[in-house]
Amino acid sequence: MMSRSMNLMMAASVAGLLGFYLLYATVPLYVATGGAGEIGAGAATGAMMLATVLAELAVPWLLSRIGYRAAMGLGLVLLGLPALLLPLSPALPLVLPVALLRGAGLGILVVTGTALTAELVPAERRGEGLGLYGVAVGVPSILGLPVGLWAGGAAGFTAVFVAAGVASLAGLAAVAGLPSTRPARVGARRLGGRGLAGPALVFTGVTVATGVMVTFLPLAGSPELASAALLAQSLATPAARWLAGRYGDRHGSGRLLAPGVLAAVAGVALQIATGDAVAVVAGMALFGSGFGVLQNATLAVMFERGEASGVSALWNLAYDAGMGVGAMGFGLVLGHTGYPMGFALVAALMAATLPLTRAGTVRREPSIR
């Protein structure tokens, strides 16, 4: 299963996502402390996620025109080069265009990587293959989220921005060995194919919460506590994603949707105690576990029902649209609710997706090995 192409694709993805995660929580803090406040922080994340969503819609067409290799390279360039401009100013007129370019790069990178994983691994081991891919791309969040926040204070924002740009561009070294295959073009109608909407909406609910947590947890308490909590989440997510893949190959991934939602809801509910270090860190570990389970289970269920590049685009669209909506929406309502009530509303939003988990329990024959 771990072919040369699979290893190179993972290396390129890890490099690009390290550059992304180093800045994901750091840029909102940079913008907020630079004078734009919490609304500006949410706008920076929201703009990046908007561009990501728009790019993801175009990636199936892009792959059919230029192939996997060129698309992966383009994504890395767009993630890396604009980051080097951020030291010039924390003002939104500079930060927002940079966020838009980096968001487009992220959209291209993640859709290409997910679709290529589905193409490279045997169908009967797809859940485990997606789990291994999830572990690989989880490493950048484990390192990038807490290190980016810490380094921004210890070494200055400029050092973090340069490191993020260089990390993404370093991934170009692995791109030359990727297949240049061009998958068949997927029409817009097929992105919303039969049986895909339910799992996509379930996943969107948890990604809304992810956007809220990553953007605003450092502002709800102390950056130091947020770093520890985000590290706990980042460790739990890929481990849960891999275990969910192994379970799903044997017993069916649809069975994991409801437990994943419940774990994520409980984790966010614990964030109501914003000043309690144990509750915050334990809650983010629990949320990360639910998030990891849903990452694998929703994607595996969707791949059972649709074509690789189209499913990858729709799933990543749910991922990034949810994160963007969470960041921007929470920033707008925060002044009316405060952090504890806001976190309670996010937990309730996720809980409302539980009825949709039944759509993911369509029976499939587990693989026997």
Side-chain angles (χ1 to χ4, degrees):
M1 184 169 62
M2 295 307 298
S3 63
R4 179 174 181 271
S5 294
M6 186 76 167
N7 284 318
L8 289 173
M9 182 275 296
M10 285 186 174
S13 297
V14 166
L17 290 172
L18 179 59
F20 168 74
Y21 279 111
L22 278 169
L23 302 189
Y24 189 71
T26 307
V27 168
L29 188 61
Y30 177 60
V31 171
T33 58
E38 292 171 334
I39 293 178
T45 301
M48 183 171 63
M49 292 299 102
L50 173 63
T52 301
V53 166
L54 295 176
E56 285 166 348
L57 289 171
V59 172
W61 172 85
L62 184 69
L63 290 174
S64 71
R65 295 296 298 272
I66 66 175
Y68 289 111
R69 181 193 301 160
M72 185 73 78
L74 177 61
L76 291 170
V77 169
L78 289 175
L79 270 171
L81 284 181
L84 301 177
L85 299 176
L86 286 171
L88 297 177
S89 172
L92 291 180
L94 173 69
V95 173
L96 292 182
V98 168
L100 290 170
L101 290 172
R102 296 187 70 246
L106 176 66
I108 294 169
L109 183 75
V110 295
V111 173
T112 302
T114 307
L116 192 51
T117 299
E119 296 282 2
L120 292 174
V121 300
E124 67 273 11
R125 300 188 68 186
R126 184 172 286 159
E128 185 178 2
L130 292 170
L132 288 173
Y133 173 73
V135 170
V137 298
V139 171
S141 65
I142 294 172
L143 298 175
L145 284 173
V147 169
L149 281 173
W150 170 82
F157 289 114
T158 296
V160 182
F161 299 150
V162 172
V166 170
S168 293
L169 293 174
L172 293 171
V175 169
L178 295 179
S180 58
T181 309
R182 300 180 184 183
R185 183 174 177 179
V186 178
R189 293 180 180 179
R190 291 176 61 191
L191 290 180
R194 184 178 180 182
L196 300 182
L201 288 172
V202 169
F203 190 53
T204 301
V206 76
T207 60
V208 166
T210 305
V212 171
M213 294 295 103
V214 174
T215 303
F216 291 100
L217 201 61
L219 304 176
S222 69
E224 293 78 15
L225 177 57
S227 293
L230 290 172
L231 176 61
Q233 176 203 334
S234 299
L235 289 169
T237 297
R241 188 171 180 177
W242 175 69
L243 291 171
R246 290 185 62 83
Y247 178 93
D249 281 344
R250 291 166 170 79
H251 307 291
S253 296
R255 299 182 182 184
L256 295 171
L257 295 180
V261 170
L262 291 172
V265 168
V268 171
L270 285 172
Q271 303 311 307
I272 295 172
T274 56
D276 188 325
V278 174
V280 169
V281 174
M284 288 305 291
L286 185 57
F287 173 74
S289 298
F291 185 36
V293 168
L294 290 174
Q295 280 182 321
N296 194 288
T298 55
L299 186 56
V301 168
M302 292 168 71
F303 272 133
E304 291 171 9
R305 303 173 182 179
E307 185 272 338
S309 64
V311 164
S312 178
L314 181 60
W315 185 85
N316 281 287
L317 180 66
Y319 198 144
D320 298 314
M323 292 181 75
V325 168
M328 293 196 72
F330 196 75
L332 293 174
V333 304
L334 188 58
H336 302 286
T337 64
Y339 285 106
M341 179 60 69
F343 291 146
L345 290 175
V346 172
L349 175 65
M350 282 192 295
T353 67
L354 275 170
L356 297 174
T357 61
R358 294 184 179 181
T361 58
V362 176
R363 292 185 297 271
R364 72 182 283 267
E365 292 299 323
S367 61
I368 300 174
R369 60 181 191 277

